[in-house]
Amino acid sequence: MSKGSNFWVIGGEFGSMNFHKLVEGSAQVQGPFKTRKEAEDAWRVVSEENRHKAGVRFSIVEEPSRVSA
């Protein structure tokens, strides 16, 4: 039996514009969301709140489905 995937909104402030390393203490994780639409809505809110900060980025990630034996 497989369970549905969860979606997460992750991100924060990055130390440079190459977006490889988060500034310590700035990481944010929101979720889990049961649908991609719910995650997209949360992403829009957090992205809009931080749009004036060029070094802040957020992404939506999907957790792999789990299959129980």
Side-chain angles (χ1 to χ4, degrees), residues 19-41:
F19 300 102
H20 289 301
K21 186 174 180 188
L22 285 167
V23 171
E24 189 171 333
S26 76
Q28 294 183 41
V29 177
Q30 296 183 15
F33 300 99
K34 292 296 179 192
T35 67
R36 182 163 187 92
K37 169 82 170 79
E38 290 175 319
E40 287 173 355
D41 291 344

Side-chain angles (χ1 to χ4, degrees), residues 21-68:
K21 186 174 180 188
L22 285 167
V23 171
E24 189 171 333
S26 76
Q28 294 183 41
V29 177
Q30 296 183 15
F33 300 99
K34 292 296 179 192
T35 67
R36 182 163 187 92
K37 169 82 170 79
E38 290 175 319
E40 287 173 355
D41 291 344
W43 173 84
R44 277 188 189 86
V45 170
V46 74
S47 294
E48 181 64 26
E49 289 171 352
N50 291 283
R51 72 182 189 144
H52 63 286
K53 300 175 186 173
V56 175
R57 289 268 171 101
F58 290 91
S59 299
I60 297 171
V61 294
E62 182 176 1
E63 182 181 325
S65 296
R66 293 197 174 105
V67 179
S68 40

